[in-house]
Amino acid sequence: MKNYFNRWGISVVLLMTTAIVLAQKPPKQDVYRPQPTLILLSENQSYSRNNLSAITQDLLGVDSASTLELIKQDTDELGFTHDVYTQFYRGLPVEFAQIKIHAKEGQVTSLTNTTVNISDLEIRPTMSSASALNVAKGFVNATSYMWEDAQSSALMDYQVPTGELMILGPIAGVNNQAKLVYKFDIYASQPVYRADVYVDAHNGAVVFENKRIHHADTPASGSSLYNGTVSFTADSFSSGYRLRQTVDGNGIETYDMGGSTNYSNASDVVKVLKKRFLER
C-alpha cells in the first residue's frame, strides 16, 4: 500500500493488488472421429469369414446392442468372396452402416467398414411421425408435393411418406453422435425437389438432407435479338438445358407464359438434346 498526495493536498491511498489468472484448458470438443473405412489384415491375423462375432468384436469393437444382418453374398472371378452385412441397433436399422467382409479360401483378407459405435441411445421417439412429417415439409417449403397429385403419384408409385424410424450415425460436418430419426422421402413438384430428409425423433430438428435430385449450373450461349451471341448460365438437367441458374442472388428462372397472364400456364424455356444415330 502506498500513500500519495494529489495537487490539492488530499491523501490518496492506492492498494496495489496482484491479479492471478489461472489458465484453464478449453472444454473438450465433441469431435466425430470415424472408424477406418478399409482394414487390411496382416499375415498373423487369421479370421474365418463365418466367425462374424470375432471379426466385429476384435477388429471393429461393435457395441453389444448392435446386430448385423447378411444382405448380399457373391464371389468374383479371382475367387474372393464378398459378404455384406447391414447394422441394426436394438432392432432399428442404422443408416449407411455396413460391413463388407472380403475373404479368400474362407480366410478374411480385408474389411470395408461403415458401422458406428452407439451407446445408450434412447430408441423411443418423443414425437410422432406425423409431427415429424410437418417439420420436414416446413424445411422443404414447397408449394405442392407429388403425393397431392393422384395421377402423378400413381405413375411414380409414390405415396405420402410415413417416415421410417431409424438410427442416423455420426456424419463428419453434420452431427457428432448417433441420433434417433425419422427418414422421409420428400418429393415436391413445385419447385421440383426430391430428398431424404432426416428429422430428430426427440427434438424435431432436421438433422440431415440427402438430395436425390441435383441441379447443376453450366455455361451456355445463345443468339439474342439485339446483341448478337451472348453468354449466360443455364441449368443442366436430364436431357437438355433450361433457362434457370443459381449463381446470382437467389437465382434467376425464366419461363414462357405462352401469351397468357396465368402463372399456372408457365413452362420452362428448354433446349432439348437430341440423340443422333449414324447408319452403318
Side-chain angles (χ1 to χ4, degrees):
M1 181 176 66
K2 294 185 179 181
N3 194 356
Y4 294 92
F5 288 92
N6 63 13
R7 58 183 296 186
W8 295 283
I10 301 175
S11 177
V12 179
V13 177
L14 298 180
L15 296 177
M16 307 300 290
T17 61
T18 302
I20 300 175
V21 179
L22 298 178
Q24 297 180 347
K25 293 183 179 179
K28 183 179 180 181
Q29 299 296 317
D30 184 15
V31 178
Y32 169 54
R33 294 179 176 84
Q35 297 189 68
T37 302
L38 176 62
I39 300 176
L40 301 176
L41 272 66
S42 61
E43 293 182 356
N44 60 355
Q45 290 178 300
S46 179
Y47 291 90
S48 167
R49 61 178 285 216
N50 297 319
N51 195 354
L52 185 62
S53 60
I55 294 171
T56 55
Q57 294 300 317
D58 296 352
L59 300 178
L60 303 177
V62 175
D63 57 271
S64 59
S66 288
T67 57
L68 296 164
E69 180 179 312
L70 181 67
I71 60 172
K72 183 180 179 182
Q73 282 183 323
D74 61 55
T75 304
D76 62 25
E77 63 275 9
L78 298 177
F80 283 89
T81 56
H82 309 280
D83 303 328
V84 183
Y85 295 84
T86 188
Q87 183 182 4
F88 288 80
Y89 178 78
R90 297 182 180 177
L92 293 178
V94 181
E95 188 75 321
F96 312 125
Q98 290 186 342
I99 297 174
K100 297 181 182 179
I101 300 176
H102 313 288
K104 184 69 176 291
E105 298 178 351
Q107 294 297 303
V108 179
T109 58
S110 63
L111 300 172
T112 306
N113 173 54
T114 56
T115 61
V116 293
N117 290 324
I118 306 171
S119 61
D120 300 327
L121 178 64
E122 176 57 65
I123 63 170
R124 291 174 295 182
T126 55
M127 70 183 306
S128 66
S129 60
S131 298
L133 176 59
N134 288 331
V135 171
K137 289 174 62 178
F139 172 78
V140 175
N141 197 30
T143 57
S144 61
Y145 296 88
M146 188 65 69
W147 64 76
E148 297 171 339
D149 183 343
Q151 183 176 0
S152 297
S153 59
L155 182 64
M156 299 292 295
D157 191 23
Y158 177 82
Q159 303 298 326
V160 181
T162 56
E164 181 183 4
L165 191 65
M166 61 171 51
I167 310 299
L168 181 66
I171 300 175
V174 177
N175 58 301
N176 293 327
Q177 58 186 3
K179 296 181 180 295
L180 180 70
V181 297
Y182 287 107
K183 174 185 176 181
F184 295 98
D185 174 11
I186 304 295
Y187 199 164
S189 52
Q190 187 59 42
V192 176
Y193 168 97
R194 190 171 189 179
D196 292 327
V197 179
Y198 300 80
V199 179
D200 192 308
H202 291 307
N203 60 27
V206 174
V207 180
F208 184 52
E209 173 195 30
N210 191 19
K211 290 188 176 181
R212 302 174 65 173
I213 294 179
H214 297 266
H215 304 278
D217 290 335
T218 185
S221 63
S223 299
S224 69
L225 294 176
Y226 305 104
N227 197 31
T229 300
V230 295
S231 298
F232 55 92
T233 300
D235 179 46
S236 173
F237 71 111
S238 58
S239 59
Y241 300 90
R242 56 188 173 184
L243 282 178
R244 297 188 187 186
Q245 56 100 336
T246 60
V247 295
D248 296 314
N250 293 322
I252 299 174
E253 299 180 359
T254 305
Y255 295 91
D256 182 359
M257 296 289 288
S260 170
T261 58
N262 187 346
Y263 285 101
S264 63
N265 294 330
S267 60
D268 278 297
V269 180
V270 174
K271 172 65 175 177
V272 178
L273 297 181
K274 296 181 179 180
K275 295 182 179 180
R276 298 179 180 179
F277 297 91
L278 297 177
E279 296 183 359
R280 293 184 179 180

